[in-house]
Amino acid sequence: MSVEASPQKGIGDGDHLKVLGYDDSFHRSMSLWSNFALGFTYLSPLVGVYSLFALAMSTGGPPSLFWLFIVGTGQLLVALVFGEVVSQYPIAGGIYPWTRRLWGKRYAWMAAWVYIWAMLVTITAVAEFGTGFLASLINAPVTKEITLGLTVAFLVAAFALNFSGTKMLARVARIGLAAELIGVVAVGLYLLIFQRHQEFSVFFNSLGVQGNGSYATAFLGAALTGLFLFYGFEACGDVAEEVENPARGIPRAMILTIFVGGISALLSFSGYVMAAPNLQEIVDGVDTDPIPAILDAALGPIGAKIFLVVALTAFLSCVLSLQAAASRLLFSFARDGMLPGHKWLAKVSSRTAVPINALIVACSIPVVLALVIYVGSDEVLTQITSFAVLGIYVAFQSVVLAALRQRIKGWKPAGPFSLGRAGFAVNVVALAYGVFAMVLLAIPGSSGKFFSDFIVLIGLVVVGGSGLLYLFVAKPDRLSTAPAGDAIEVAALLRAHPDH
């Protein structure tokens, strides 16, 4: 598969945006490296592997590692489709403007509505997971009150950094990138080379995790190992209007995020498996939080403390990136008049050139969700986040489906990043992979408790249903005059531009 590029000259960022119907509202102060760092810290292999390692082992055993290859390959195809779309439409907000311009207003409303709630829940969940590291570092008891206070501290700290402007966002994202690489690559390599307690053949040994049943069922049940990890690359496109030469750079940043994130997660995951002194206890579900013990045994008390600092930096950077992406989506949504209070939400600070009011919402709603978790049962966090991964995959595939629909109608992407003749085949396979992933995520549990088993679908129905209700009652699409469904026309305008 070859990737074609337009002539080196290319249309200017401001002129490209004007062809799309917008004027510059932000400072283009984010480099390609910083854009990649933003996507990588959102994807956060450290957060993903730490959060799911025990579940992966107890569900699918060591072979669950292979989900990193399966999902990484599928999401790479999705990233290539996104790359062609963002190259033609380098607009802030990512999934919302892409679906709007590829299909239409109502379609974009539903895709963005599901996606924004999935993002807001994910922000809350990552902040909640990070409190365990912070509590361990300061030797605080892990009570519900302490967890709530530390979660709010994470959210407010990320808001303060985001409020400072795009340069600060880029700087912290780069620091988070360094922390992630130390926490997953360096530690993973150290565990693999110096702390091995297992043979490499263990990755082909289920260790009896399937019991008397089929291992194929157990392996499919461990799919979340990869599905939870490989998203976040789309955040590179959420800040498109703050990036220099986004039509060329953002597709590269997305692809780099998948490759580096996948390799990092692979080293980290395999390192924990190989360094586990008693892997059978983890697979049997006896040890439900094995990573702290593995790190303490391998790194010693001082090394484990240093890892806590690195992990905290990664978690804070992940929350920061999530907030930034969510605020740009809200801004883009509001700029087109598609949300209540859209004038207020679309306001950009004259001093820092960030959508300050959208940032306030991206911080305050997770604070409210943290309060809901505090007053609820211990299972509330799992219950309200269960639909988030499926919601994000639904939003992703709404872009993939819309792109395929336009290709069938004759659209040939006009951005400088193009897959050429391979684009159609990549689009079809990316959609097939996405449908497969959504089916896996939506399969009900088998506990016998209706709410617990169907929580993923219940969450999606609640969010999707409320979005549909607002769409048909308030009719925000009728109040919005911004362009929509114009992929073929815009491609022709870009090709006709004298600087193309």
Short mmCIF file of all heavy atoms in Angstrom, two decimals, residues 302-356:
data_model
loop_
_atom_site.label_atom_id
_atom_site.label_comp_id
_atom_site.label_asym_id
_atom_site.label_seq_id
_atom_site.Cartn_x
_atom_site.Cartn_y
_atom_site.Cartn_z
N ILE A 302 12.40 1.74 46.82
CA ILE A 302 12.74 3.06 46.26
C ILE A 302 12.36 3.10 44.79
O ILE A 302 11.76 4.07 44.30
CB ILE A 302 14.24 3.36 46.45
CG1 ILE A 302 14.57 3.48 47.94
CG2 ILE A 302 14.61 4.65 45.71
CD1 ILE A 302 16.05 3.70 48.22
N GLY A 303 12.69 2.04 44.06
CA GLY A 303 12.34 1.99 42.64
C GLY A 303 10.84 2.03 42.43
O GLY A 303 10.34 2.67 41.50
N ALA A 304 10.10 1.35 43.32
CA ALA A 304 8.64 1.36 43.21
C ALA A 304 8.08 2.76 43.44
O ALA A 304 7.12 3.17 42.79
CB ALA A 304 8.04 0.37 44.21
N LYS A 305 8.69 3.51 44.37
CA LYS A 305 8.25 4.89 44.63
C LYS A 305 8.51 5.77 43.41
O LYS A 305 7.69 6.62 43.04
CB LYS A 305 8.98 5.46 45.84
CG LYS A 305 8.48 4.96 47.18
CD LYS A 305 7.13 5.57 47.54
CE LYS A 305 6.69 5.17 48.93
NZ LYS A 305 5.34 5.69 49.27
N ILE A 306 9.68 5.58 42.80
CA ILE A 306 10.01 6.36 41.59
C ILE A 306 8.99 6.05 40.49
O ILE A 306 8.53 6.94 39.77
CB ILE A 306 11.44 6.05 41.12
CG1 ILE A 306 12.45 6.57 42.15
CG2 ILE A 306 11.70 6.68 39.75
CD1 ILE A 306 13.88 6.15 41.86
N PHE A 307 8.63 4.77 40.37
CA PHE A 307 7.63 4.39 39.37
C PHE A 307 6.30 5.08 39.66
O PHE A 307 5.59 5.48 38.73
CB PHE A 307 7.45 2.88 39.34
CG PHE A 307 6.39 2.42 38.36
CD1 PHE A 307 6.71 2.26 37.03
CD2 PHE A 307 5.08 2.18 38.77
CE1 PHE A 307 5.73 1.85 36.11
CE2 PHE A 307 4.11 1.79 37.87
CZ PHE A 307 4.44 1.62 36.53
N LEU A 308 5.94 5.21 40.94
CA LEU A 308 4.69 5.89 41.30
C LEU A 308 4.69 7.32 40.78
O LEU A 308 3.68 7.81 40.27
CB LEU A 308 4.50 5.89 42.82
CG LEU A 308 4.05 4.58 43.47
CD1 LEU A 308 4.00 4.74 44.98
CD2 LEU A 308 2.69 4.15 42.94
N VAL A 309 5.82 8.02 40.91
CA VAL A 309 5.91 9.40 40.42
C VAL A 309 5.76 9.44 38.90
O VAL A 309 5.04 10.28 38.35
CB VAL A 309 7.26 10.03 40.84
CG1 VAL A 309 7.42 11.43 40.23
CG2 VAL A 309 7.35 10.11 42.36
N VAL A 310 6.42 8.51 38.23
CA VAL A 310 6.32 8.43 36.77
C VAL A 310 4.88 8.13 36.36
O VAL A 310 4.32 8.76 35.44
CB VAL A 310 7.27 7.34 36.23
CG1 VAL A 310 7.02 7.09 34.75
CG2 VAL A 310 8.72 7.74 36.46
N ALA A 311 4.25 7.19 37.06
CA ALA A 311 2.87 6.82 36.73
C ALA A 311 1.91 7.99 36.97
O ALA A 311 1.00 8.23 36.17
CB ALA A 311 2.44 5.61 37.56
N LEU A 312 2.12 8.72 38.05
CA LEU A 312 1.27 9.88 38.34
C LEU A 312 1.38 10.93 37.24
O LEU A 312 0.38 11.53 36.84
CB LEU A 312 1.66 10.51 39.69
CG LEU A 312 1.05 9.87 40.93
CD1 LEU A 312 1.69 10.45 42.19
CD2 LEU A 312 -0.46 10.11 40.95
N THR A 313 2.60 11.15 36.77
CA THR A 313 2.80 12.10 35.68
C THR A 313 2.04 11.65 34.43
O THR A 313 1.40 12.46 33.74
CB THR A 313 4.30 12.23 35.36
OG1 THR A 313 5.01 12.58 36.54
CG2 THR A 313 4.54 13.28 34.29
N ALA A 314 2.09 10.35 34.16
CA ALA A 314 1.38 9.81 32.99
C ALA A 314 -0.13 9.95 33.16
O ALA A 314 -0.83 10.32 32.21
CB ALA A 314 1.76 8.35 32.78
N PHE A 315 -0.65 9.66 34.34
CA PHE A 315 -2.08 9.78 34.58
C PHE A 315 -2.55 11.23 34.44
O PHE A 315 -3.58 11.51 33.81
CB PHE A 315 -2.45 9.24 35.97
CG PHE A 315 -2.81 7.79 35.99
CD1 PHE A 315 -1.83 6.82 36.14
CD2 PHE A 315 -4.11 7.38 35.83
CE1 PHE A 315 -2.15 5.47 36.16
CE2 PHE A 315 -4.46 6.04 35.84
CZ PHE A 315 -3.47 5.08 36.00
N LEU A 316 -1.79 12.17 35.02
CA LEU A 316 -2.17 13.58 34.92
C LEU A 316 -2.15 14.03 33.47
O LEU A 316 -3.05 14.75 33.01
CB LEU A 316 -1.23 14.44 35.76
CG LEU A 316 -1.49 15.95 35.72
CD1 LEU A 316 -2.90 16.29 36.21
CD2 LEU A 316 -0.44 16.71 36.53
N SER A 317 -1.13 13.61 32.73
CA SER A 317 -1.03 14.00 31.32
C SER A 317 -2.17 13.39 30.52
O SER A 317 -2.71 14.03 29.60
CB SER A 317 0.32 13.54 30.76
OG SER A 317 0.47 13.96 29.42
N CYS A 318 -2.59 12.17 30.88
CA CYS A 318 -3.72 11.53 30.20
C CYS A 318 -5.01 12.31 30.45
O CYS A 318 -5.78 12.57 29.51
CB CYS A 318 -3.86 10.09 30.69
SG CYS A 318 -5.15 9.14 29.83
N VAL A 319 -5.26 12.70 31.70
CA VAL A 319 -6.45 13.51 32.02
C VAL A 319 -6.39 14.84 31.27
O VAL A 319 -7.40 15.31 30.73
CB VAL A 319 -6.56 13.75 33.54
CG1 VAL A 319 -7.72 14.69 33.86
CG2 VAL A 319 -6.77 12.42 34.27
N LEU A 320 -5.21 15.44 31.22
CA LEU A 320 -5.03 16.72 30.53
C LEU A 320 -5.39 16.58 29.05
O LEU A 320 -6.12 17.41 28.49
CB LEU A 320 -3.58 17.16 30.68
CG LEU A 320 -3.18 18.50 30.04
CD1 LEU A 320 -3.47 19.64 31.02
CD2 LEU A 320 -1.70 18.50 29.67
N SER A 321 -4.89 15.53 28.41
CA SER A 321 -5.15 15.32 26.98
C SER A 321 -6.62 15.05 26.72
O SER A 321 -7.19 15.54 25.75
CB SER A 321 -4.30 14.16 26.46
OG SER A 321 -2.92 14.41 26.63
N LEU A 322 -7.25 14.27 27.60
CA LEU A 322 -8.67 13.98 27.47
C LEU A 322 -9.50 15.25 27.60
O LEU A 322 -10.43 15.50 26.82
CB LEU A 322 -9.09 12.98 28.54
CG LEU A 322 -8.78 11.50 28.26
CD1 LEU A 322 -8.81 10.70 29.56
CD2 LEU A 322 -9.79 10.92 27.28
N GLN A 323 -9.18 16.07 28.60
CA GLN A 323 -9.90 17.34 28.78
C GLN A 323 -9.76 18.23 27.55
O GLN A 323 -10.73 18.84 27.10
CB GLN A 323 -9.37 18.08 30.01
CG GLN A 323 -10.08 17.77 31.30
CD GLN A 323 -9.64 18.71 32.41
OE1 GLN A 323 -8.92 19.68 32.19
NE2 GLN A 323 -10.09 18.43 33.62
N ALA A 324 -8.54 18.33 27.04
CA ALA A 324 -8.29 19.18 25.88
C ALA A 324 -9.10 18.70 24.68
O ALA A 324 -9.75 19.50 23.98
CB ALA A 324 -6.80 19.19 25.54
N ALA A 325 -9.10 17.39 24.43
CA ALA A 325 -9.84 16.83 23.30
C ALA A 325 -11.34 17.06 23.47
O ALA A 325 -12.04 17.45 22.51
CB ALA A 325 -9.54 15.35 23.16
N ALA A 326 -11.86 16.84 24.68
CA ALA A 326 -13.29 17.03 24.93
C ALA A 326 -13.69 18.48 24.75
O ALA A 326 -14.76 18.79 24.19
CB ALA A 326 -13.64 16.55 26.33
N SER A 327 -12.86 19.40 25.22
CA SER A 327 -13.20 20.83 25.10
C SER A 327 -13.22 21.28 23.65
O SER A 327 -14.07 22.09 23.26
CB SER A 327 -12.20 21.67 25.90
OG SER A 327 -10.91 21.62 25.35
N ARG A 328 -12.31 20.76 22.83
CA ARG A 328 -12.30 21.14 21.40
C ARG A 328 -13.51 20.57 20.68
O ARG A 328 -14.04 21.19 19.76
CB ARG A 328 -11.01 20.67 20.74
CG ARG A 328 -9.83 21.63 20.83
CD ARG A 328 -9.53 22.09 22.23
NE ARG A 328 -8.27 22.82 22.35
CZ ARG A 328 -7.69 23.12 23.49
NH1 ARG A 328 -8.27 22.76 24.64
NH2 ARG A 328 -6.57 23.81 23.54
N LEU A 329 -13.93 19.38 21.08
CA LEU A 329 -15.14 18.81 20.49
C LEU A 329 -16.35 19.66 20.85
O LEU A 329 -17.19 19.98 19.99
CB LEU A 329 -15.33 17.38 20.96
CG LEU A 329 -16.65 16.70 20.57
CD1 LEU A 329 -16.83 16.68 19.06
CD2 LEU A 329 -16.71 15.28 21.12
N LEU A 330 -16.46 20.05 22.13
CA LEU A 330 -17.57 20.90 22.57
C LEU A 330 -17.54 22.24 21.85
O LEU A 330 -18.57 22.77 21.44
CB LEU A 330 -17.50 21.12 24.08
CG LEU A 330 -17.94 19.94 24.95
CD1 LEU A 330 -17.52 20.17 26.40
CD2 LEU A 330 -19.45 19.74 24.86
N PHE A 331 -16.34 22.80 21.69
CA PHE A 331 -16.19 24.08 20.98
C PHE A 331 -16.67 23.96 19.54
O PHE A 331 -17.44 24.80 19.04
CB PHE A 331 -14.73 24.54 21.00
CG PHE A 331 -14.41 25.58 19.97
CD1 PHE A 331 -14.71 26.92 20.20
CD2 PHE A 331 -13.84 25.23 18.75
CE1 PHE A 331 -14.44 27.89 19.24
CE2 PHE A 331 -13.56 26.19 17.79
CZ PHE A 331 -13.86 27.53 18.03
N SER A 332 -16.23 22.91 18.85
CA SER A 332 -16.61 22.72 17.45
C SER A 332 -18.12 22.52 17.32
O SER A 332 -18.76 23.08 16.43
CB SER A 332 -15.86 21.52 16.88
OG SER A 332 -16.15 21.33 15.52
N PHE A 333 -18.69 21.74 18.22
CA PHE A 333 -20.13 21.50 18.28
C PHE A 333 -20.87 22.84 18.45
O PHE A 333 -21.87 23.12 17.77
CB PHE A 333 -20.41 20.61 19.48
CG PHE A 333 -21.42 19.52 19.23
CD1 PHE A 333 -22.04 19.35 18.01
CD2 PHE A 333 -21.76 18.64 20.25
CE1 PHE A 333 -22.97 18.35 17.80
CE2 PHE A 333 -22.69 17.63 20.06
CZ PHE A 333 -23.29 17.49 18.83
N ALA A 334 -20.37 23.66 19.38
CA ALA A 334 -21.03 24.92 19.70
C ALA A 334 -20.83 25.96 18.60
O ALA A 334 -21.73 26.76 18.32
CB ALA A 334 -20.50 25.46 21.03
N ARG A 335 -19.66 25.97 17.98
CA ARG A 335 -19.39 26.95 16.93
C ARG A 335 -20.38 26.84 15.78
O ARG A 335 -20.74 27.84 15.14
CB ARG A 335 -17.96 26.76 16.40
CG ARG A 335 -17.58 27.70 15.27
CD ARG A 335 -16.11 27.63 14.93
NE ARG A 335 -15.67 26.31 14.49
CZ ARG A 335 -14.42 26.03 14.12
NH1 ARG A 335 -13.49 26.99 14.15
NH2 ARG A 335 -14.09 24.82 13.74
N ASP A 336 -20.87 25.64 15.55
CA ASP A 336 -21.87 25.43 14.49
C ASP A 336 -23.29 25.61 14.99
O ASP A 336 -24.25 25.31 14.27
CB ASP A 336 -21.71 24.02 13.91
CG ASP A 336 -20.45 23.89 13.05
OD1 ASP A 336 -19.81 24.92 12.78
OD2 ASP A 336 -20.11 22.76 12.67
N GLY A 337 -23.45 26.05 16.26
CA GLY A 337 -24.78 26.32 16.81
C GLY A 337 -25.58 25.08 17.13
O GLY A 337 -26.82 25.11 17.13
N MET A 338 -24.91 23.98 17.45
CA MET A 338 -25.59 22.70 17.63
C MET A 338 -25.86 22.34 19.09
O MET A 338 -26.38 21.27 19.37
CB MET A 338 -24.77 21.58 16.98
CG MET A 338 -24.66 21.70 15.47
SD MET A 338 -26.15 21.15 14.61
CE MET A 338 -25.87 19.38 14.55
N LEU A 339 -25.50 23.21 20.04
CA LEU A 339 -25.69 22.92 21.46
C LEU A 339 -26.40 24.07 22.15
O LEU A 339 -26.26 25.23 21.75
CB LEU A 339 -24.34 22.68 22.15
CG LEU A 339 -23.63 21.36 21.92
CD1 LEU A 339 -22.26 21.39 22.56
CD2 LEU A 339 -24.44 20.20 22.47
N PRO A 340 -27.14 23.78 23.23
CA PRO A 340 -27.70 24.87 24.04
C PRO A 340 -26.55 25.71 24.61
O PRO A 340 -25.51 25.18 24.99
CB PRO A 340 -28.44 24.13 25.17
CG PRO A 340 -28.65 22.74 24.67
CD PRO A 340 -27.52 22.45 23.75
N GLY A 341 -26.73 27.03 24.64
CA GLY A 341 -25.66 27.91 25.12
C GLY A 341 -24.46 27.92 24.21
O GLY A 341 -23.32 28.10 24.66
N HIS A 342 -24.70 27.74 22.91
CA HIS A 342 -23.58 27.58 21.98
C HIS A 342 -22.69 28.81 21.90
O HIS A 342 -21.48 28.70 21.70
CB HIS A 342 -24.09 27.19 20.59
CG HIS A 342 -25.04 28.16 19.97
ND1 HIS A 342 -24.63 29.24 19.24
CD2 HIS A 342 -26.40 28.22 20.01
CE1 HIS A 342 -25.69 29.91 18.83
NE2 HIS A 342 -26.78 29.32 19.28
N LYS A 343 -23.24 30.00 22.05
CA LYS A 343 -22.41 31.21 21.99
C LYS A 343 -21.42 31.25 23.15
O LYS A 343 -20.27 31.65 22.99
CB LYS A 343 -23.29 32.46 21.98
CG LYS A 343 -24.09 32.64 20.70
CD LYS A 343 -24.89 33.93 20.72
CE LYS A 343 -25.67 34.10 19.41
NZ LYS A 343 -26.48 35.35 19.42
N TRP A 344 -21.89 30.83 24.32
CA TRP A 344 -21.03 30.80 25.51
C TRP A 344 -19.97 29.72 25.36
O TRP A 344 -18.79 29.94 25.64
CB TRP A 344 -21.89 30.55 26.74
CG TRP A 344 -21.14 30.51 28.04
CD1 TRP A 344 -20.69 31.57 28.76
CD2 TRP A 344 -20.75 29.34 28.77
NE1 TRP A 344 -20.04 31.14 29.89
CE2 TRP A 344 -20.07 29.77 29.93
CE3 TRP A 344 -20.93 27.96 28.56
CZ2 TRP A 344 -19.56 28.88 30.87
CZ3 TRP A 344 -20.41 27.08 29.50
CH2 TRP A 344 -19.74 27.54 30.64
N LEU A 345 -20.37 28.54 24.89
CA LEU A 345 -19.43 27.43 24.75
C LEU A 345 -18.39 27.66 23.66
O LEU A 345 -17.28 27.14 23.72
CB LEU A 345 -20.20 26.14 24.44
CG LEU A 345 -20.85 25.43 25.61
CD1 LEU A 345 -21.79 24.34 25.12
CD2 LEU A 345 -19.81 24.84 26.55
N ALA A 346 -18.74 28.45 22.65
CA ALA A 346 -17.83 28.68 21.52
C ALA A 346 -16.86 29.83 21.78
O ALA A 346 -16.05 30.16 20.91
CB ALA A 346 -18.63 28.96 20.26
N LYS A 347 -16.92 30.42 22.96
CA LYS A 347 -16.04 31.55 23.26
C LYS A 347 -14.60 31.09 23.44
O LYS A 347 -14.33 30.13 24.16
CB LYS A 347 -16.51 32.27 24.53
CG LYS A 347 -15.70 33.52 24.85
CD LYS A 347 -16.24 34.22 26.09
CE LYS A 347 -15.42 35.46 26.41
NZ LYS A 347 -15.90 36.14 27.64
N VAL A 348 -13.67 31.78 22.78
CA VAL A 348 -12.24 31.49 22.87
C VAL A 348 -11.56 32.63 23.61
O VAL A 348 -11.79 33.79 23.31
CB VAL A 348 -11.61 31.30 21.47
CG1 VAL A 348 -10.11 31.11 21.57
CG2 VAL A 348 -12.25 30.12 20.76
N SER A 349 -10.74 32.29 24.59
CA SER A 349 -10.04 33.31 25.38
C SER A 349 -9.14 34.15 24.49
O SER A 349 -8.35 33.61 23.70
CB SER A 349 -9.21 32.64 26.47
OG SER A 349 -8.34 33.57 27.09
N SER A 350 -9.24 35.47 24.61
CA SER A 350 -8.40 36.35 23.81
C SER A 350 -6.94 36.31 24.26
O SER A 350 -6.03 36.61 23.49
CB SER A 350 -8.93 37.79 23.90
OG SER A 350 -8.96 38.22 25.26
N ARG A 351 -6.71 35.89 25.51
CA ARG A 351 -5.35 35.87 26.04
C ARG A 351 -4.64 34.56 25.75
O ARG A 351 -3.50 34.54 25.29
CB ARG A 351 -5.37 36.11 27.56
CG ARG A 351 -3.98 36.20 28.20
CD ARG A 351 -4.08 36.57 29.66
NE ARG A 351 -4.75 35.52 30.43
CZ ARG A 351 -4.11 34.46 30.95
NH1 ARG A 351 -2.81 34.30 30.74
NH2 ARG A 351 -4.77 33.57 31.66
N THR A 352 -5.31 33.43 26.01
CA THR A 352 -4.65 32.13 25.85
C THR A 352 -5.09 31.37 24.60
O THR A 352 -4.50 30.34 24.28
CB THR A 352 -4.95 31.25 27.08
OG1 THR A 352 -6.37 31.05 27.20
CG2 THR A 352 -4.43 31.90 28.36
N ALA A 353 -6.11 31.88 23.91
CA ALA A 353 -6.62 31.26 22.68
C ALA A 353 -7.02 29.80 22.91
O ALA A 353 -6.70 28.91 22.11
CB ALA A 353 -5.59 31.36 21.55
N VAL A 354 -7.72 29.55 24.02
CA VAL A 354 -8.30 28.24 24.27
C VAL A 354 -9.80 28.42 24.54
O VAL A 354 -10.22 29.48 25.01
CB VAL A 354 -7.63 27.52 25.48
CG1 VAL A 354 -6.18 27.23 25.20
CG2 VAL A 354 -7.79 28.32 26.75
N PRO A 355 -10.62 27.41 24.24
CA PRO A 355 -12.07 27.51 24.47
C PRO A 355 -12.37 27.35 25.97
O PRO A 355 -12.72 26.27 26.44
CB PRO A 355 -12.64 26.37 23.64
CG PRO A 355 -11.55 25.36 23.59
CD PRO A 355 -10.25 26.14 23.59
N ILE A 356 -12.24 28.43 26.70
CA ILE A 356 -12.25 28.38 28.15
C ILE A 356 -13.55 27.81 28.72
O ILE A 356 -13.55 27.01 29.65
CB ILE A 356 -11.95 29.79 28.73
CG1 ILE A 356 -11.94 29.76 30.26
CG2 ILE A 356 -12.95 30.80 28.23
CD1 ILE A 356 -10.91 28.85 30.85
#
